[in-house]
Amino acid sequence: MTTTQIPFEGLASGGQRIASADGRTAPAYNPATGQPIADVAQASAADVDATVILAHQRFSQGAWKTMRSRERGQILQRIANLIRERQETLAQIESANGGKPISAARGEIGAVANTFEYYAGAVNKIHGQTIPANANGTALTFREPLGVCVLIVPWNFPLVITGWKVAPALAMGNTVIVKPASATPLSALALADLAVEAGLPEGVLNVLPGSGSVAGNALVSHPLVRKISFTGSTEIGMGVMKQAADGIKRVSLELGGKSANVIFADAYLDTCIESSIFAVYDNAGQDCCARSRIFVERPIFDEFVERFTARAKTLKVGDPMQEATEMGPLITPQHRETVMNYLNIGDAEGAKRLCGGIIPSEAGLAGGNFLTPAVYVDVQAGMRIMQEEVFGPVVCIMPFEGEDEAIKLANDTPYGLSGSLWTRDIGRALRVARAIETGMLSINSSSSVHIEAPFGGMKQSGLGREQGMVALDHYSEYKSVFIAND
Ligand code: NAP
């Protein structure tokens, strides 16, 4: 395929698909083949300015924020319905652009529909309070939308994370501009088209693909933007937070992780091993919640390592469009280089690699960014592969003795996003769960995401929470109104 044959994808601004002001485009690739699949308009600072002004006008005119709550909810529900109807098409886009196994991509699209449905149901349940103020009158609170919200999304779960931001922001009556990752702009653009079809007023949801340094930077610094919801690396998130200080823009940050998987000797090992495999290798390890540090209680350490490694070696790495594929490619050749550099660091630090970290040689995979799943033992807590987010299919397994050591090791990282612990002792489960510094923790499970429950990180993993009713707080302000009795 050549770039002249691939479809053009315009910016989604004001309900239209348009070329960028300077005509710039960039290819979006299929990471499994290395081939371009679309030619995508790249938003310039001028495009950002025009779209922010338009979104600000749409917000100020109030058609969306003042729309009756049931009607607003119905539009969000129609978006959910259309996502379900187009599940296969959207899954194909997400798989082709993100390298996801098609079965996983279908699951993700289903989750996006659930997100819109959840917030469709929330719209007419958002209300303020009457407060017994110490005065002769009545104090009330109203929940007010913020205005133009900029939603910056990474490439690892493009539409899932877009949905986590767009749905609550719209439910509160804001207007939004999504900045998808440069590598994976296609599904967010498809969502913008679908939202217009669902009856969302034009200009309420805009999607501006473009680079972080140009489009992202222009969005974060624009004076009419009121809120930035950023998901990505801790490094870029810190810069966004500093930049947002000008103008006191509201900020929420979902950042990196180095999550722990703590396994006590009384765990049900069969379930635990299968679950722990996907807890780190799902999405080829490119998951902020990846449990990439496994701590195993000494009596079962050898058995766990042997069985875990045997399963890692059988993971089916390959063409994402094959139903049987369990692990697809990494997102870009550059990112695979970064991950392989970490393997070199781990090897040089003296950790023992039991398997993986190999570029597969099978026919048909040569053009993609594939890498087999790696397992390290003989690791020390201070090693870089134990401290830094590798964001690839790499796990470190280390033994521990007793609860205190498990907690100390789990907390020995600047991050605090997610994690798991496995034990049949409920008292210990609760003691350890409370002591681990993390935003989400699963007991006898590896799931981090429940749309009904808050999602977000402690320490350098972020600020604020997505999902659940609490996400609505991050897209609204409380306004207090006092009415005198006299
Ligand atoms: P990234 O490099 O930080 O990029 C994230 C987004 O920020 C992209 O859209 C990027 O655009 C944009 N960006 C880059 N520079 C910017 C700037 N100066 N101003 C504004 N925006 C800018 O992260 P990534 O590599 O896409 O994603 C991987 C990271 O995301 C990992 O650290 C992972 O842990 C984290 N993550 C966290 C969560 C969570 O919920 N906590 C979820 C998923 C991923 P470009 O693509 O054009 O660079």
Side-chain angles (χ1 to χ4, degrees):
M1 201 184 280
T2 66
T3 45
T4 52
Q5 293 169 309
I6 61 178
F8 170 72
E9 293 276 357
L11 312 173
S13 175
Q16 313 291 318
R17 289 295 215 100
I18 56 172
S20 56
D22 59 9
R24 271 200 65 231
T25 63
Y29 291 94
N30 181 336
T33 63
Q35 294 299 311
I37 51 175
D39 199 26
V40 184
Q42 300 293 290
S44 63
D47 298 306
V48 165
D49 188 46
T51 305
V52 174
I53 289 171
L54 186 140
H56 179 68
Q57 282 166 353
R58 293 291 189 274
F59 178 76
S60 308
Q61 286 157 2
W64 178 243
K65 72 177 172 192
T66 58
M67 187 182 281
R68 294 209 172 172
S69 58
R70 201 172 76 164
E71 201 182 336
R72 194 142 30 98
Q74 284 169 339
I75 291 175
L76 292 181
Q77 182 61 52
R78 279 205 291 278
I79 296 177
N81 296 346
L82 282 175
I83 292 170
R84 280 209 186 96
E85 269 173 37
R86 316 256 164 94
Q87 182 175 20
E88 189 56 31
T89 309
L90 291 167
Q92 300 264 347
I93 293 171
E94 207 70 322
S95 179
N97 195 192
K100 292 167 186 296
I102 186 67
S103 55
R106 287 189 193 111
E108 288 181 26
I109 301 304
V112 181
N114 294 344
T115 300
F116 277 92
E117 188 163 80
Y118 177 84
Y119 289 105
V123 173
N124 59 5
K125 296 162 194 75
I126 302 162
H127 46 72
Q129 299 165 312
T130 54
I131 297 168
N134 187 26
N136 187 18
T138 304
L140 308 171
T141 58
F142 292 87
R143 306 282 297 275
E144 305 286 359
L146 301 173
V148 180
C149 299
V150 163
L151 314 175
I152 302 178
V153 176
W155 46 259
N156 61 338
F157 292 100
L159 201 58
V160 167
I161 293 173
T162 299
W164 290 351
K165 297 179 188 302
V166 169
L170 294 187
M172 286 308 313
N174 299 286
T175 56
V176 305
I177 303 172
V178 177
K179 208 303 272 174
S182 292
T184 54
L186 302 183
S187 54
L189 289 167
L191 176 71
D193 296 346
L194 183 149
V196 172
E197 198 182 328
L200 188 73
E202 292 177 352
V204 170
L205 165 58
N206 308 278
V207 178
L208 294 185
S211 72
S213 55
V214 176
N217 184 50
L219 284 162
V220 172
S221 55
H222 200 290
L224 289 177
V225 168
R226 292 278 170 77
K227 155 90 190 189
I228 297 144
S229 173
F230 173 88
T231 301
S233 59
T234 297
E235 188 190 355
I236 303 279
M238 283 181 191
V240 165
M241 192 173 176
K242 283 181 193 152
Q243 221 180 331
D246 283 338
I248 317 290
K249 296 185 176 93
R250 276 68 184 136
V251 183
S252 39
L253 303 169
E254 296 287 351
L255 307 174
K258 189 78 182 172
S259 296
N261 187 1
V262 177
I263 299 164
F264 286 94
D266 64 346
Y268 283 115
L269 265 197
D270 290 355
T271 321
C272 168
I273 288 168
E274 189 62 14
S275 182
S276 299
I277 285 277
F278 287 94
V280 64
Y281 299 128
D282 191 36
N283 212 38
Q286 304 165 121
D287 183 344
C288 54
C289 295
R291 278 78 163 153
S292 52
R293 296 178 304 142
I294 303 183
F295 301 108
V296 186
E297 206 168 16
R298 181 75 74 182
I300 58 161
F301 181 76
D302 290 343
E303 181 188 357
F304 180 90
V305 169
E306 191 186 325
R307 291 176 61 185
F308 183 95
T309 307
R311 177 67 179 105
K313 286 178 181 168
T314 67
L315 266 180
K316 178 132 185 47
V317 179
D319 178 1
M321 289 300 172
Q322 297 291 322
E323 298 289 339
T325 295
E326 294 174 303
M327 207 178 99
L330 300 182
I331 190 72
T332 58
Q334 298 77 6
H335 186 58
R336 183 171 68 179
E337 277 298 313
T338 304
V339 173
M340 291 179 74
N341 191 39
Y342 269 112
L343 295 169
N344 293 335
I345 291 168
D347 296 343
E349 282 176 318
K352 183 172 170 193
R353 195 183 335 163
L354 297 180
C355 69
I358 308 291
I359 297 178
S361 54
E362 283 100 305
L365 301 187
N369 317 313
F370 296 93
L371 194 67
T372 60
V375 176
Y376 276 106
V377 291
D378 293 352
V379 287
Q380 304 296 324
M383 288 179 173
R384 284 185 64 189
I385 53 166
M386 283 286 281
Q387 289 291 323
E388 297 175 23
E389 186 183 41
V390 176
F391 223 54
V394 181
V395 75
C396 299
I397 314 181
M398 188 176 177
F400 71 88
E401 276 165 41
E403 272 177 49
D404 289 347
E405 191 182 11
I407 293 164
K408 186 164 173 282
L409 287 168
N411 287 339
D412 186 10
T413 156
Y415 296 110
L417 187 58
S418 192
S420 289
L421 73 93
W422 298 80
T423 176
R424 282 183 260 175
D425 178 337
I426 184 70
R428 176 163 60 196
L430 288 174
R431 277 194 305 277
V432 178
R434 294 296 302 272
I436 296 181
E437 297 164 339
T438 185
M440 287 94 57
L441 191 100
S442 310
I443 297 170
N444 298 327
S445 156
S446 298
S447 75
S448 301
V449 176
H450 304 276
I451 188 60
E452 305 81 5
F455 178 102
M458 293 185 179
K459 302 197 288 190
Q460 290 187 27
S461 286
L463 192 68
R465 292 292 181 269
E466 298 196 309
Q467 305 182 50
M469 294 300 278
V470 73
L472 299 165
D473 289 346
H474 296 285
Y475 293 103
S476 59
E477 306 268 24
Y478 280 89
K479 180 187 283 174
S480 282
V481 172
F482 178 74
I483 311 166
N485 279 352
D486 309 322

